[in-house]
Amino acid sequence: MKNNTLESLIQDYLEGKIEESKMYEYIQAYSVEEVKKSLSDSMEVDYLLSKKYLEVDQEVAYKDFLEQIKLRGINVKESKAGGIRTIWKYAAIFTGIVGLGLALTFLSKSNSGQENITIANEEVNLHLGNGKLEIIKETGSTNILDSEGNVIAIQTGDKIKYVPASQSKELVYNELNVPYGKKFELELADGTIVYVNSGSVLRYPTNFAASTSRRVYLKGEAFFKVAEDKEHPFIVNSGSVNVRVLGTEFNVSAYDEDLETSTVLVSGSVQLYDSISDNKKQTNVQLVPGERGTWNREQMNFKMDKVDTSIYTSWVQGKLIFRDMPFRQISKQLERRYNVTIVNTDSDLDNNTFSANFEEETIEEILEILDRTYGIEYSIKDNQIIIK
């Protein structure tokens, strides 16, 4: 019964039902050898269930995995708690669910015959209120000036910090355009921090007028850490949906090509309402931390569910986390993250769901992982990734 419980825990973890920090707590009741054996069994099951996992012998692969631990100077015979933590970390890496990139370092085969992918390095653009266009060089720093030559913001690397003004008589807007393959950080004049994701446009005042709410306009995705100001609510307009807050942390995803606009609340409280219906009661919902509110543009309604917020905010730290996500959404996120074009010729694949974590992997490594882990074959032609 004890071993069956451990196997169930491992399976739930691999399916994303248990967070990593909780898993470390649960497995303290088991020995290192028990954890190793159960993980080995789980890996073998994964091989058998996958369409085309790895064309290697399972026993050889597991020995390679243990050898990699030794190469990194890790003693698997250390104390019980440390041994379990270490073996769990690297075994999880090996299984292809957490940190998939490391698996390639000892289980990869060359993808011979493939063309190379050339990723265009597009620059972040800042459109100023005076009509001037600033090309942001992320390797340098500069002062952002208004039409009168006053410094309104300071750009350093991939961040712009706006200088607070005593009072604003009129709203002057800047517009930040972040291309595919990039993300950018803003600190607005009120102290609000905004992380703007790839393929996104954020329009915002250089200073907020004292007598109005603080309103910004988003196309794409951004994570907000809103500075509290009870007298001036902060409103994010994302097309057909407005997000109204006083001070909180939340993520908004509102790409034009997506059918749904979603808001995930990390802390505080937000109110969502349909901007077209002008805050009517039937299209007005309140979120609490850990909830996601999703607006369907065709059905014209909201739905709410409980989520693991870290999955939806991981992009801020440069990570991509997929949990039971349809491939059509995965491919779109990869296009935005790496500034590539993916053409899927397998329509049935779009609705299939997958789980994976990526962080430092290149797009080539991710494609190889998807091929070896899930049997998603691809080719590269004319700088396009074609899913067979």
Side-chain angles (χ1 to χ4, degrees):
M1 177 64 70
K2 182 179 177 182
N3 286 337
N4 288 339
T5 302
L6 175 58
E7 291 170 1
S8 298
L9 285 172
I10 290 172
Q11 193 58 43
D12 285 346
Y13 172 75
L14 297 181
E15 292 175 1
K17 298 177 182 178
I18 301 177
E19 294 183 4
E20 187 171 342
S21 58
K22 285 291 184 183
M23 194 62 193
Y24 282 138
E25 295 178 14
Y26 294 152
I27 62 177
Q28 295 307 310
Y30 302 90
S31 69
V32 174
E33 290 304 319
E34 286 176 310
V35 174
K36 285 167 59 178
K37 184 180 185 305
S38 293
L39 281 167
S40 180
D41 291 344
S42 294
M43 284 186 281
E44 186 171 6
V45 170
D46 283 346
Y47 292 154
L48 295 174
L49 291 179
S50 64
K51 288 167 58 181
K52 174 191 172 187
Y53 194 78
L54 293 168
E55 295 177 0
V56 296
D57 180 82
Q58 192 271 340
E59 182 66 24
V60 172
Y62 191 66
K63 288 179 179 179
D64 285 343
F65 149 68
L66 293 179
E67 185 63 27
Q68 286 299 310
I69 294 178
K70 294 177 183 177
L71 288 175
R72 286 163 174 76
I74 301 163
N75 181 8
V76 298
K77 295 182 179 180
E78 58 188 274
S79 64
K80 176 184 175 183
I84 288 179
R85 181 176 291 272
T86 298
I87 202 73
W88 180 258
K89 175 182 177 182
Y90 283 91
I93 288 172
F94 175 77
T95 61
I97 302 299
V98 178
L100 285 165
L102 186 58
L104 283 184
T105 64
F106 57 94
L107 289 175
S108 64
K109 293 192 300 183
S110 62
N111 197 10
S112 59
Q114 294 282 21
E115 295 181 13
N116 292 326
I117 301 173
T118 303
I119 298 176
N121 183 26
E122 300 179 35
E123 301 292 351
V124 175
N125 293 337
L126 179 65
H127 296 266
L128 303 180
N130 58 13
K132 185 179 178 181
L133 173 64
E134 293 276 355
I135 306 299
I136 304 300
K137 300 293 184 181
E138 297 169 68
T139 56
S141 61
T142 188
N143 291 334
I144 308 297
L145 309 178
D146 64 12
S147 58
E148 298 177 355
N150 300 312
V151 177
I152 59 172
I154 300 170
Q155 177 253 326
T156 305
D158 59 355
K159 178 179 180 179
I160 294 177
K161 180 177 181 179
Y162 280 79
V163 179
S166 54
Q167 291 234 340
S168 294
K169 296 181 181 179
E170 62 177 332
L171 294 177
V172 178
Y173 283 88
N174 282 184
E175 184 175 278
L176 185 76
N177 192 319
V178 181
Y180 280 7
K182 298 286 182 70
K183 58 186 177 70
F184 206 83
E185 179 182 347
L186 285 176
E187 182 174 336
L188 303 181
D190 67 338
T192 293
I193 305 295
V194 188
Y195 299 91
V196 185
N197 205 356
S198 56
S200 302
V201 178
L202 184 71
R203 185 171 179 262
Y204 52 91
T206 58
N207 268 291
F208 295 97
S211 60
T212 65
S213 59
R214 298 170 290 167
R215 186 182 295 266
V216 301
Y217 300 86
L218 173 68
K219 291 182 179 180
E221 184 170 25
F223 180 79
F224 294 83
K225 293 183 178 181
V226 176
E228 185 172 0
D229 183 348
K230 295 181 180 180
E231 301 299 321
H232 303 94
F234 194 96
I235 297 174
V236 180
N237 180 281
S238 56
S240 57
V241 176
N242 283 345
V243 183
R244 185 179 187 275
V245 301
L246 295 177
T248 188
E249 297 184 13
F250 59 98
N251 192 82
V252 179
S253 181
Y255 288 100
D256 287 341
E257 62 268 31
D258 291 344
L259 179 62
E260 297 180 330
T261 295
S262 68
T263 302
V264 174
L265 181 61
V266 176
S267 65
S269 177
V270 302
Q271 181 186 55
L272 308 179
Y273 57 94
D274 168 20
S275 59
I276 298 174
S277 301
D278 196 24
N279 200 12
K280 290 182 179 178
K281 187 175 181 180
Q282 62 266 30
T283 56
N284 185 337
V285 300
Q286 197 92 8
L287 297 184
V288 299
E291 282 188 337
R292 174 180 60 174
T294 305
W295 171 262
N296 188 291
R297 298 177 190 175
E298 289 185 349
Q299 300 175 4
M300 300 286 286
N301 60 13
F302 284 106
K303 65 178 181 181
M304 295 187 296
D305 58 345
K306 297 288 288 184
V307 297
D308 179 354
T309 60
S310 64
I311 294 175
Y312 300 90
T313 62
S314 61
W315 65 266
V316 177
Q317 288 81 40
K319 302 177 182 178
L320 285 174
I321 300 179
F322 307 130
R323 288 292 179 269
D324 296 323
M325 181 177 289
F327 183 76
R328 65 179 181 277
Q329 294 181 23
I330 293 176
S331 61
K332 182 54 65 178
Q333 288 198 30
L334 292 177
E335 286 184 325
R336 294 167 183 158
R337 169 69 173 268
Y338 293 99
N339 194 17
V340 296
T341 300
I342 299 176
V343 179
N344 181 21
T345 63
D346 182 359
S347 58
D348 292 336
L349 178 62
D350 273 342
N351 294 320
N352 288 353
T353 59
F354 304 91
S355 296
N357 286 21
F358 301 110
E359 185 170 358
E360 298 178 353
E361 291 83 358
T362 65
I363 184 61
E364 290 90 350
E365 288 173 333
I366 289 178
L367 291 170
E368 190 71 3
I369 289 165
L370 292 175
D371 182 13
R372 297 183 181 284
T373 308
Y374 295 116
I376 299 176
E377 298 182 357
Y378 69 97
S379 62
I380 301 169
K381 185 176 182 180
D382 298 330
N383 215 39
Q384 286 188 334
I385 299 163
I386 303 171
I387 305 298
K388 300 178 181 179

